[in-house]
Amino acid sequence: GGGVMHAEAQTRSPLGWALQLERRGDTNDAIAVYRSVLEDDPTNTAALLGLERLFGATNALDSILPILDSAIATDPASRFVREVQLRAYSTLGQSEKVAQTAAAWMQLVPDSPDPFRQWAFVIAQAGDVAQALRILQAGRDRIGDDALAPEMARLYMSTGDWRNAAREWQAAATSNPGNAPAAIAGLSQAPAAEREGVLEQLNARGGADAETKRMVAELLVAWGRPAEGWALLEGALPRNPRTAATVVRAFAERARRSQTRDGARVRALALERLARLTSGEEARRARLDAAQAYADAGELGAARRLLDRVEVPSGAETSEAASAMATLSRVGAESGRLDDAERRYREWKDRLSADDARRLRETIAWGWVLRDELDRAERLLDGDSTVNTLAVLGWIATYRGDLRGAIELFRAAGPYAQTRAEATRRTSVLAIVQRIEPDTVPGLGAALLRVAQGDTTGAIDGLERASAEIPQTGGRADVLALAGELAVAHGDYERGEGLLLQSLAAEADGPAAPGAEYSLAVAYVALGKHSDAIRTLEHLILTFSDSAVLPGARRLLDQVRGVIPQSGSNGTA
């Protein structure tokens, strides 16, 4: 065995072989190889780290101390070796040696913040944050600059002292703008109750300073106040267009992460400004992205205004141009310009990537679906058998009232097609249509299309009419329950009450019954019928003990009984 291991070692670098031995659990052999590396190179980083790991894991960390002494004799000012030495003494509980090591290091590099930084780090790791802060303050007094401000800020954050953390992060970002991203990332974690204090602290010192304003602007976005952030940033942009573009780009990315309508609108405003600060392809891309952001925010007029200013050369063959055209067409579709989007798609589809072409085709097709031009949507998707497209085709079948076809297509698409939200919506509708006995119910399809179009009143009317076409034991209760739940969700409690009672009369213990009883209880609460609500919720909890609505039903019952204070004027959870 040893001969084989030795032969294998000859084909590897010593460090690679030591790491392999370490992974195998051959601790003693790995230690021997790491030691042999250090004989030739006493300060080798990988070997020292390897020994620190292995000695620490075997409760023999003191064995590394003479090895570190040899490394220091070779390079007394080595930051890495001193860091390992500080960690070792701290782990071993030798606080005096920790202080002596830091002092010796400081003598060698009197103008460096590194000894203070690393000494404070090991002290904080040992749990004495107050002492770590004193060490950093001593370093600041000696060095006379803000080099240690980030470390002090992080320690203040760890103790929940957000005002002092803000002061230190501001100092760090002011002295070195490269610290601003870390400052924003750190302060964005401030609890809601501390945020006004953070803002007051940032504005207390150099509140008019442009760097501080830019930092505050990004914080406001991170805290869900994007409009305030953009208003502040606009007045604090650097005069240099290139520098201003960098700032706006970072802000737009921060706004993208907010994933709210307000965030999308502010991102659009920032990207539109970026387009004015840049030129050529970057400006065109910024306008396209801004148009997409406006569309995401629901501001379709603004999206169209920007699209009118975007042109992609028809002869361009580059992947970048094709990607730009895909974005242009997609935003056009989302903002209602379906004819134009489809024309561009057909012109460019052979130059688009497969994924871009598929996404664009589905977006345009869905636009036609929502306009009730189902044949046109289906023609566009003809020949595409990807799971996402099968899902869209399933919706087309649903809206035609072809329930059997919808079931087959939804099942073929599977549970993972499209986004999680779309998959959930698809599964919910599938659960209803597969319980309906007629294979074709055009009125139901038309009503479900009204739901997708956002026409709640029309959808409820259509569902109620369609229920009359469905046998009492063949899904009528499910359709009436859906109509009633929609009515309750949109505040039409009286109508919802009537529809839900009809649903339960049609089938009191069917699959739709738990949801119907819960929505009925919500309607009762809103209408002030608390006794009816309690009776309905008690029945629901006792009868449907495994229903997914049970947690909400228990909370609502507690509210109605007065156990939990009501959170809204209508008494709902």
Side-chain angles (χ1 to χ4, degrees):
V4 173
M5 288 180 65
H6 178 73
E8 188 177 350
Q10 300 301 313
T11 65
R12 298 174 180 265
S13 70
L15 287 172
W17 175 234
L19 189 58
Q20 181 68 20
L21 291 169
E22 187 178 343
R23 288 172 177 163
R24 290 180 183 177
D26 296 334
T27 301
N28 291 333
D29 289 338
I31 288 172
V33 177
Y34 283 133
R35 281 181 176 275
S36 70
V37 171
L38 291 170
E39 287 175 5
D40 296 327
D41 183 5
T43 62
N44 185 281
T45 300
L48 287 172
L49 285 173
L51 290 179
E52 184 182 22
R53 286 193 303 271
L54 292 171
F55 286 141
T58 56
N59 295 317
L61 190 57
D62 55 349
S63 298
I64 203 173
L65 296 177
I67 297 171
L68 291 171
D69 288 339
S70 297
I72 287 170
T74 301
D75 185 0
S78 168
R79 184 177 72 175
F80 169 73
V81 177
R82 292 292 185 179
E83 288 175 8
V84 176
Q85 192 175 41
L86 284 170
R87 287 200 300 268
Y89 280 131
S90 178
T91 302
L92 292 167
Q94 299 183 25
S95 55
E96 289 186 8
K97 287 288 189 180
V98 171
Q100 289 171 9
T101 296
W105 188 9
M106 289 171 196
Q107 287 183 345
L108 292 166
V109 286
D111 298 325
S112 172
D114 291 337
F116 296 96
R117 181 182 291 122
Q118 297 305 321
W119 185 13
F121 175 78
V122 297
I123 295 297
Q125 287 287 96
D128 193 347
V129 175
Q131 174 63 9
L133 283 167
R134 286 193 290 272
I135 290 168
L136 291 174
Q137 186 58 55
R140 170 173 288 173
D141 293 341
R142 176 168 175 174
I143 298 167
D145 60 26
D146 293 313
L148 294 167
E151 287 71 27
M152 296 189 78
R154 292 186 180 97
L155 286 180
Y156 281 128
M157 284 168 52
S158 73
T159 65
D161 187 347
W162 289 95
R163 278 183 175 269
N164 274 325
R167 186 191 71 236
E168 296 299 337
W169 276 127
Q170 184 181 34
T174 301
S175 63
N176 178 6
N179 285 322
I184 295 161
L187 293 175
S188 66
Q189 300 171 42
E194 301 287 346
R195 291 172 184 172
E196 288 306 319
V198 168
L199 294 178
E200 287 175 10
Q201 181 61 54
L202 290 173
N203 291 323
R205 174 187 143 188
D209 175 75
E211 188 64 45
T212 296
K213 286 185 177 179
R214 292 194 286 269
M215 190 163 73
V216 170
E218 289 205 42
L219 279 177
L220 288 169
V221 175
W223 292 340
R225 297 157 62 179
E228 292 178 63
W230 175 244
L232 186 63
L233 185 73
E234 270 197 302
L237 289 176
R239 291 185 178 181
N240 182 290
R242 184 174 296 180
T243 309
T246 300
V247 171
V248 172
R249 209 176 284 117
F251 182 88
E253 176 60 23
R254 175 74 62 180
R256 184 185 66 80
R257 295 176 206 161
S258 72
Q259 296 185 335
T260 64
R261 274 204 163 194
D262 283 346
R265 182 178 184 278
V266 163
R267 181 168 185 263
L269 291 169
L271 288 167
E272 193 170 358
R273 172 62 66 88
L274 180 62
R276 294 199 297 269
L277 290 167
T278 55
S279 60
E281 183 56 37
E282 185 174 5
R284 181 162 54 244
R285 171 55 62 183
R287 287 192 184 94
L288 281 169
D289 290 345
Q292 180 68 65
Y294 275 127
D296 292 341
E299 298 192 13
L300 301 183
R304 293 188 191 105
R305 172 176 57 79
L306 278 180
L307 290 178
D308 286 339
R309 299 178 59 191
V310 176
E311 285 298 332
V312 178
S314 59
E317 298 290 345
T318 66
S319 60
E320 188 173 3
S323 178
M325 180 56 73
T327 302
L328 180 62
S329 300
R330 186 175 66 252
V331 176
E334 291 171 351
S335 63
R337 293 183 167 185
L338 293 172
D339 285 302
D340 185 56
E342 184 169 345
R343 177 185 60 77
R344 290 179 185 273
Y345 162 73
R346 293 191 182 281
E347 179 184 346
W348 280 76
K349 63 180 180 179
D350 294 334
R351 286 171 280 181
L352 299 175
S353 70
D355 283 344
D356 277 345
R358 176 186 56 76
R359 282 194 292 265
L360 180 54
R361 188 165 54 245
E362 290 168 5
T363 299
I364 298 169
W366 189 250
W368 289 126
V369 168
L370 293 180
R371 284 195 187 176
D372 199 10
E373 297 199 37
L374 304 181
D375 291 344
R376 190 161 183 178
E378 190 172 46
R379 283 197 301 273
L380 186 61
L381 297 173
D382 186 44
D384 186 344
S385 59
T386 59
V387 292
N388 283 354
T389 296
L390 290 174
V392 178
L393 290 170
W395 285 113
I396 292 173
T398 300
Y399 298 146
R400 283 177 172 151
D402 177 10
L403 307 187
R404 193 57 46 202
I407 291 169
E408 292 174 1
L409 286 162
F410 281 155
R411 286 176 176 169
Y416 303 112
Q418 300 179 306
T419 64
R420 180 177 295 182
E422 280 298 309
T424 301
R425 191 168 73 94
R426 187 171 63 249
T427 301
S428 299
V429 168
L430 178 59
I432 293 173
V433 299
Q434 66 188 0
R435 292 198 292 265
I436 294 174
E437 287 185 0
D439 289 346
T440 304
V441 186
L444 176 60
L448 291 172
L449 179 56
R450 291 290 183 91
V451 175
Q453 293 169 331
D455 179 5
T456 304
T457 302
I460 295 168
D461 291 343
L463 288 168
E464 187 172 14
R465 286 194 300 270
S467 68
E469 304 176 39
I470 299 169
Q472 181 168 332
T473 58
R476 181 185 298 172
D478 300 86
V479 175
L480 286 168
L482 177 58
E485 288 163 8
L486 275 173
V488 170
H490 287 81
D492 191 350
Y493 300 111
E494 291 184 355
R495 187 173 190 188
E497 177 189 7
L499 289 165
L500 292 165
L501 287 172
Q502 288 182 59
S503 171
L504 293 166
E507 193 171 10
D509 57 356
E517 288 203 358
Y518 177 72
S519 291
L520 179 60
V522 171
Y524 280 147
V525 172
L527 294 169
K529 300 179 179 181
H530 294 99
S531 297
D532 290 336
I534 290 172
R535 186 176 64 253
T536 301
L537 289 166
E538 287 177 340
H539 179 269
L540 167 59
I541 292 167
L542 290 172
T543 308
F544 303 103
S545 58
D546 58 349
S547 170
V549 302
L550 223 58
R554 290 195 178 100
R555 285 194 298 273
L556 184 56
L557 181 59
D558 286 341
Q559 285 184 356
V560 179
R561 286 173 171 168
V563 175
I564 298 174
Q566 294 182 4
S567 60
S569 60
N570 62 10
T572 59

